[in-house]
Amino acid sequence: MSNTDEHNHTQHHVHDPKEKKRQINRISRINGHLEHIKRMIDTDEDCAQILIQLSAVQSALNGLGKEIIQEHLDHCIRHAIEDGDTEALEAFERALQQYL
């Protein structure tokens, strides 16, 4: 695949608007949660409670990651396979290795 083809793949990388909105909303909630944790630390709240809240944020991030992986498999990787785009498959494999 040439660089031009790869560039075009990136430009046509479109996700379901409903899924994207849902994911952005999740990130906003996670950000809000992190801001709450920041205030907890600033006001010297109980460390055990802060750890519990951090665990909730980690769980939310992991859930978001799983959703993004699933959506990528269902849409982007399916199209890459249909198009014979081995570079996209290799890039996804590298991303998964880093994520995990």
Side-chain angles (χ1 to χ4, degrees), residues 27-94:
I27 291 170
S28 294
R29 285 192 303 275
I30 291 166
N31 280 336
H33 208 144
L34 283 170
E35 284 298 319
H36 175 70
I37 294 169
K38 184 177 170 183
R39 286 189 301 275
M40 290 175 76
I41 292 169
D42 190 45
T43 58
D44 295 319
E45 291 196 32
D46 181 55
C47 294
Q49 291 304 310
I50 293 169
L51 288 173
I52 290 169
Q53 297 306 312
L54 283 171
S55 175
V57 168
Q58 286 175 327
S59 178
L61 284 170
N62 286 337
L64 177 61
K66 288 176 186 178
E67 283 183 17
I68 289 172
I69 289 168
Q70 188 62 55
E71 182 184 9
H72 197 66
L73 286 170
D74 291 344
H75 301 287
C76 308
I77 297 302
R78 179 174 294 148
H79 292 287
I81 291 169
E82 290 169 357
D83 296 341
D85 185 354
T86 58
E87 289 181 30
L89 298 172
E90 291 166 2
F92 184 57
E93 182 180 4
R94 286 189 303 273

